[in-house]
Amino acid sequence: MAVIRSVIRGVGAHLPKRVVTNDDLSKIVDTTDEWIVERSGIRSRHIAGDDELTSDLGIAAARQALVRAGIDPVDIDLVICATATPDKTFPATAVRIQHGLGITKGAAFDVQAVCSGFIYAMTVADNFLKSGQFVRALVIGAETFSRILDWSDRSTCVLFGDGAGAVVLEAQPQHGNRDDRGILSTTIRSDGRFEDLLYVDGGPGSTKTVGHLRMNGREVFRHAVQKISGVIEETLVATGYAADEIDLYVPHQANARILDGIAKKLGVSPDKIMMTLSRHGNTSAASIPLALAAAVDEHKVKEGKLVLMEAMGGGFTWGAVLARW
Ligand code: ACO
């Protein structure tokens, strides 16, 4: 039976020019390169300049994705930006990106699910495309997390970075079986009981400030391994694939030890797990599309390959998307 699937037509990425190494950070907080590498796997991250906004990063990533897809911006009718660091409280960063690309039709809005934002945004876009309401979507993950870090807190400021990634999705008729191209499965979950483990201590409706990121690292770590392994297993059961049939795992890049823990739990070889963490740090909603773009550049994905993306973030929110390239 013919069905509509959201096929990935192109991926793009953009990182701010400024690279900050662990040694650079050791000059502002009491830390070392050794500690950061051993506990997180991060060696450096990109940090946006004062004049680089989340929308600027998103526009640059989206432009690259559109060029690689061979699609004109005016043919996009849906723009979704996953971000927890919007340029302004409103309008949505997605609308600013839409405007920056010269698109005046269709709809644009933000999705806020922190580090799971890209998974949530892909899920929303997929449902709109499958329903026939839109035909071509730009899904962007863009963050300037450096703006919400407490640069005196060594337990958090060493872990994050800035950047943006983007994907062009197009509704295409497929056969309706597991060999189809496009998004084959999406799963999103949330549970607000865990809000206090990872949050920002400010906001327009409470403190009237932007606030700073606060995290109970150990507890987040424990939940991340459990919840991400769980949602991957759910995805595999729903689609009938075994863990080793997936060609490439493109996880949210939070901590190399979390990714190793998940690989071990699922019995997946580490070389099937895309890792950009050492050079990007944790870029929240941008990390999966940035890693996807790197996977394309490194020829790790090509047509027909099965790619599983997954994430967990503040809320908690978590989820997974399985797609055939
Ligand atoms: N440099 C040196 N020492 C540090 C630093 C630092 N940057 N940060 C903390 N320490 C110290 C602590 O003060 C503590 O010292 P103490 O024993 O004297 O009290 C010691 O190191 C150990 O601290 P822990 O927090 O127990 O260290 P842990 O091994 O748990 O590693 C880390 C911390 C890296 C944050 C880890 O818990 C982690 O990665 N958690 C997951 C968090 C995460 O990935 N969050 C991202 C957002 S959510 C997501 O994206 C999934």
Side-chain angles (χ1 to χ4, degrees):
M1 187 188 69
V3 297
I4 297 292
R5 300 262 192 212
S6 310
V7 172
I8 299 175
R9 289 281 313 267
V11 186
H14 184 77
L15 291 157
K17 273 200 186 68
R18 186 172 159 227
V19 174
V20 174
T21 64
N22 293 346
D23 284 337
D24 294 332
L25 290 179
S26 71
K27 292 176 191 128
I28 59 168
V29 284
D30 182 12
T31 192
T32 60
D33 176 54
E34 258 172 294
W35 192 95
I36 302 171
V37 172
E38 192 200 311
R39 304 289 176 123
S40 72
I42 299 166
R43 292 178 186 277
S44 61
R45 71 287 293 142
H46 292 251
I47 299 291
D50 289 343
D51 57 344
E52 280 176 302
L53 304 184
T54 297
S55 62
D56 296 323
L57 305 181
I59 289 168
R63 281 212 173 102
Q64 191 181 63
L66 286 161
V67 167
R68 289 182 171 180
I71 287 177
D72 200 295
V74 298
D75 292 325
I76 295 291
D77 49 8
L78 176 65
V79 180
I80 305 180
C81 180
T83 187
T85 46
D87 295 359
K88 298 178 175 178
T89 303
F90 75 82
T93 300
V95 177
R96 305 190 93 210
I97 293 173
Q98 181 197 35
H99 176 62
L101 295 169
I103 305 169
T104 52
K105 66 169 192 192
F109 56 89
D110 288 354
V111 162
Q112 192 350 350
V114 207
C115 299
S116 315
F118 185 74
I119 297 292
Y120 269 62
M122 288 285 271
T123 301
V124 173
D126 180 45
N127 281 297
F128 272 121
L129 263 50
K130 283 193 305 196
S131 76
Q133 206 164 340
F134 297 106
V135 178
R136 284 180 207 90
L138 246 178
V139 181
I140 301 143
E143 302 277 17
T144 47
F145 248 55
S146 59
R147 307 254 158 78
I148 55 165
L149 296 177
D150 175 351
W151 286 99
S152 65
D153 175 11
R154 66 176 182 174
S155 70
T156 53
C157 75
V158 303
L159 300 173
F160 296 89
D162 300 335
V167 159
V168 178
L169 293 177
E170 184 175 65
Q172 288 186 6
Q174 296 285 318
H175 299 293
N177 60 42
R178 59 184 235 154
D179 297 327
D180 283 356
R181 286 189 72 197
I183 294 179
L184 302 175
S185 153
T186 60
T187 309
I188 51 173
R189 301 275 180 267
S190 60
D191 188 341
R193 284 178 299 169
F194 304 110
E195 176 187 335
D196 292 347
L197 298 178
L198 178 56
Y199 64 101
V200 166
D201 62 5
S206 52
T207 58
K208 300 180 206 154
T209 62
V210 171
H212 291 119
L213 181 144
R214 306 290 172 208
M215 177 173 73
N216 178 333
R218 270 198 189 176
E219 280 300 300
V220 172
F221 192 105
R222 196 171 64 78
H223 281 281
V225 175
Q226 262 175 21
K227 292 190 162 43
I228 292 171
S229 312
V231 82
I232 292 176
E233 274 159 4
E234 255 184 79
T235 302
L236 296 173
V237 169
T239 52
Y241 285 106
D244 64 2
E245 284 181 278
I246 303 301
D247 295 299
L248 190 68
Y249 289 80
V250 183
H252 166 52
Q253 309 283 311
N255 184 309
R257 289 187 299 145
I258 295 180
L259 303 187
D260 291 343
I262 294 164
K264 212 173 269 171
K265 214 161 180 234
L266 296 168
V268 172
S269 149
D271 64 357
K272 280 196 167 187
I273 301 192
M274 190 63 203
M275 286 259 215
T276 49
L277 187 77
S278 67
R279 56 189 199 268
H280 295 168
N282 180 346
T283 56
S284 183
S287 92
I288 293 176
L290 276 169
L292 268 183
V296 171
D297 290 346
E298 293 167 26
H299 309 289
K300 288 187 174 163
V301 282
K302 50 182 180 229
E303 199 170 318
K305 296 285 179 194
L306 272 177
V307 178
L308 200 153
M309 301 158 245
E310 46 78 357
M312 189 193 91
F316 288 141
T317 56
W318 64 101
V321 170
L322 178 67
R324 187 182 296 284
W325 214 258

